[in-house]
Coordinates of all heavy atoms in Angstrom, one line a residue:
L204 N 137.2 97.2 31.6 CA 135.9 96.7 31.4 C 134.8 97.6 31.9 O 133.8 97.9 31.2 CB 135.8 95.3 32.1 CG 134.5 94.5 31.9 CD1 134.3 94.1 30.5 CD2 134.5 93.3 32.8
D208 N 132.0 99.5 29.6 CA 130.5 99.4 29.9 C 129.9 100.8 29.9 O 128.8 101.0 29.4 CB 130.3 98.8 31.3 CG 130.5 97.3 31.2 OD1 130.6 96.7 30.1 OD2 130.7 96.6 32.3
Y211 N 129.7 102.3 26.3 CA 128.7 101.6 25.6 C 127.3 102.1 26.0 O 126.4 102.3 25.2 CB 128.8 100.1 25.7 CG 127.7 99.3 25.0 CD1 127.8 99.1 23.6 CD2 126.5 98.9 25.6 CE1 126.8 98.4 22.9 CE2 125.5 98.2 24.9 CZ 125.7 98.0 23.6 OH 124.7 97.3 22.9
V219 N 130.9 104.1 21.2 CA 130.9 102.6 21.1 C 132.2 102.1 20.4 O 132.7 101.0 20.8 CB 129.6 102.2 20.2 CG1 129.6 100.7 19.9 CG2 128.3 102.6 20.9
A222 N 134.6 102.0 23.2 CA 134.2 100.9 24.1 C 134.7 99.6 23.6 O 135.3 98.8 24.4 CB 132.7 100.9 24.3
K223 N 134.6 99.4 22.3 CA 135.1 98.2 21.7 C 136.6 98.0 21.9 O 137.1 96.9 22.2 CB 134.8 98.1 20.2 CG 135.1 96.8 19.6 CD 134.6 96.7 18.1 CE 135.5 97.4 17.2 NZ 135.2 97.1 15.8
Y226 N 137.1 97.0 25.5 CA 136.7 95.6 25.7 C 137.8 94.7 25.2 O 138.2 93.7 25.8 CB 135.4 95.3 25.0 CG 134.2 95.7 25.7 CD1 133.2 96.4 25.0 CD2 133.9 95.3 27.0 CE1 132.0 96.8 25.6 CE2 132.7 95.7 27.6 CZ 131.8 96.5 26.9 OH 130.6 96.9 27.6
I230 N 140.2 91.9 27.2 CA 140.4 90.6 26.8 C 141.9 90.3 26.7 O 142.4 89.2 27.2 CB 139.8 90.4 25.4 CG1 138.2 90.4 25.5 CG2 140.2 89.0 24.8 CD1 137.5 90.5 24.2
N237 N 137.9 86.8 29.5 CA 136.9 87.6 30.1 C 135.6 87.5 29.2 O 135.5 88.1 28.2 CB 137.4 89.1 30.1 CG 136.5 89.9 31.0 OD1 135.3 90.0 30.9 ND2 137.2 90.6 32.0
T238 N 134.7 86.7 29.7 CA 133.4 86.5 29.0 C 132.7 87.8 28.8 O 132.1 88.0 27.7 CB 132.6 85.5 29.8 OG1 133.3 84.3 30.0 CG2 131.3 85.1 29.0
R239 N 132.6 88.6 29.8 CA 131.8 89.9 29.7 C 132.4 90.7 28.6 O 131.7 91.3 27.8 CB 131.9 90.6 31.0 CG 131.0 91.9 31.0 CD 131.1 92.6 32.4 NE 130.3 93.8 32.4 CZ 129.0 93.8 32.9 NH1 128.5 92.7 33.3 NH2 128.4 94.9 33.0
A240 N 133.7 90.8 28.5 CA 134.4 91.6 27.5 C 134.2 91.0 26.1 O 134.0 91.7 25.1 CB 135.9 91.7 27.7
L241 N 134.1 89.7 26.0 CA 133.9 89.0 24.7 C 132.5 89.4 24.2 O 132.2 89.7 23.0 CB 134.0 87.5 24.8 CG 135.5 87.0 25.0 CD1 135.5 85.6 25.4 CD2 136.3 87.2 23.8
F242 N 131.5 89.4 25.1 CA 130.1 89.8 24.8 C 130.1 91.2 24.4 O 129.4 91.7 23.5 CB 129.2 89.5 25.9 CG 128.6 88.2 25.9 CD1 128.8 87.3 27.0 CD2 127.7 87.7 24.9 CE1 128.3 86.0 27.0 CE2 127.1 86.5 24.9 CZ 127.4 85.6 26.0
G243 N 130.9 92.1 25.1 CA 131.0 93.5 24.8 C 131.5 93.7 23.4 O 130.9 94.6 22.7
I244 N 132.5 92.9 22.9 CA 132.9 93.1 21.5 C 131.8 92.8 20.5 O 131.6 93.5 19.6 CB 134.1 92.1 21.2 CG1 135.3 92.5 22.0 CG2 134.4 91.9 19.8 CD1 136.0 93.7 21.5
C245 N 131.0 91.7 20.8 CA 129.9 91.4 20.0 C 128.8 92.5 19.9 O 128.3 92.9 18.9 CB 129.2 90.1 20.4 SG 130.4 88.7 20.3
L246 N 128.5 93.0 21.1 CA 127.5 94.1 21.2 C 128.0 95.4 20.5 O 127.2 96.0 19.7 CB 127.2 94.4 22.7 CG 126.4 93.4 23.5 CD1 126.6 93.7 25.0 CD2 125.0 93.5 23.1
C247 N 129.2 95.7 20.7 CA 129.8 96.9 20.0 C 129.8 96.8 18.5 O 129.5 97.7 17.7 CB 131.2 97.2 20.5 SG 131.2 97.9 22.2
T248 N 130.2 95.6 18.0 CA 130.3 95.3 16.6 C 128.9 95.5 16.0 O 128.8 96.1 14.9 CB 130.9 93.9 16.3 OG1 132.1 93.8 16.9 CG2 131.0 93.7 14.8
S249 N 127.9 94.9 16.6 CA 126.5 95.0 16.1 C 126.1 96.4 16.1 O 125.5 96.9 15.2 CB 125.6 94.1 17.0 OG 124.3 94.3 16.6
L276 N 133.8 82.6 22.8 CA 132.6 82.4 23.6 C 132.0 81.0 23.4 O 131.7 80.3 24.4 CB 131.5 83.4 23.1 CG 131.7 84.8 23.7 CD1 130.7 85.8 23.0 CD2 131.4 84.9 25.2

Side-chain angles (χ1 to χ4, degrees):
L204 186 61
D208 284 345
Y211 179 80
V219 176
K223 188 172 77 168
Y226 281 128
I230 293 169
N237 193 308
T238 303
R239 186 182 181 92
L241 291 168
F242 272 116
I244 291 291
C245 296
L246 286 165
C247 289
T248 302
S249 176
L276 282 169

